[in-house]
Amino acid sequence: VKYAPCGASAGSAVIDALFTSNLSRAKMTAHYCWWAYYEKLEEQYSLQKKYQYYNTHGNDKLMQHQQPDITPRQFLIDHRLNERHYGSLQGLVKSETEAGKYGHSPKDVEAWRRSWHTVPPLLEQDDPRRLDEIRKFQHLCGGAENVPRGESLEMVAEKRIKPFLVERVTPLLDEAYLEQKSRELLDG
């Protein structure tokens, strides 16, 4: 499988918003991808300006062209985008768990990982991993009771992703749609 570097095909797309979870590696990845995207646009812009400078004679309109604003209006960090919580399987080596090293049958582990409805074994309230997660995330989740102890795929979709889309993404799309319609009306 070939992977293209972040920002490799920047094109002329404008990014209005960037979304990431509140996990450190996710935020770092989002920043890195934005930086790579921005660098690619800067490179394209520089080549375009150099080409215009050397290949146009007296065309003031081209020389007055400004670099487009490519900074996203919003950089949104939301705990609901965190990866799925695997309950008591959290932090265990996947291959070892699937091989039964921790006392779970491979069939159960597969069901916990792949089934839409099946919830993996929950973390106990006094588990050190649970206590650490509460310390890190309760202020983001609206209290310790909202920090997951384990989730099925259905729970992630219904309790986190769906509300995130309705509360955060839909308003941005509605706003962008209205802005586009306003521009179309003004342009006649």
Side-chain angles (χ1 to χ4, degrees), residues 8-162:
S9 59
S12 60
V14 175
I15 297 175
D16 290 329
L18 216 53
F19 303 94
T20 187
S21 77
N22 63 332
L23 300 175
S24 297
R25 68 182 179 276
K27 290 188 283 190
M28 290 175 65
T29 300
H31 280 284
Y32 175 76
C33 288
W34 171 246
W35 172 81
Y37 175 81
Y38 180 81
E39 288 295 310
K40 186 70 174 177
L41 288 180
E42 281 288 311
E43 180 183 311
Q44 290 172 356
Y45 178 75
S46 294
L47 289 173
Q48 178 187 17
K49 292 304 290 177
K50 183 176 182 180
Y51 178 80
Q52 287 176 352
Y53 178 77
Y54 289 112
N55 292 296
T56 58
H57 302 286
N59 190 340
D60 293 335
K61 286 184 180 180
L62 285 176
M63 298 309 292
Q64 291 172 0
H65 177 71
Q66 295 294 316
Q67 181 177 10
D69 179 17
I70 56 173
T71 305
R73 292 187 215 169
Q74 298 185 48
F75 190 92
L76 300 165
I77 300 169
D78 197 298
H79 72 278
R80 294 173 291 189
L81 296 177
N82 285 4
E83 60 197 22
R84 175 185 176 192
H85 195 296
Y86 279 97
S88 65
L89 306 180
Q90 198 85 348
L92 303 179
V93 177
K94 178 183 171 190
S95 60
E96 293 175 353
T97 305
E98 290 174 332
K101 179 177 180 179
Y102 303 104
H104 308 297
S105 77
K107 188 176 179 179
D108 286 342
V109 173
E110 183 179 351
W112 295 327
R113 295 184 55 78
R114 302 288 179 232
S115 170
W116 180 253
H117 302 288
T118 307
V119 180
L122 301 179
L123 274 178
E124 297 295 330
Q125 288 291 3
D126 60 348
D127 187 305
R129 297 172 293 174
R130 171 78 177 150
L131 299 173
D132 188 47
E133 290 170 357
I134 288 172
R135 181 185 58 77
K136 287 180 181 175
F137 301 119
Q138 69 180 339
H139 68 285
L140 298 170
C141 299
E145 67 279 2
N146 295 324
V147 177
R149 294 175 51 212
E151 301 172 295
S152 68
L153 292 171
E154 179 184 34
M155 293 166 72
V156 172
E158 293 297 323
K159 293 183 178 180
R160 292 199 281 131
I161 302 303
K162 190 175 183 179

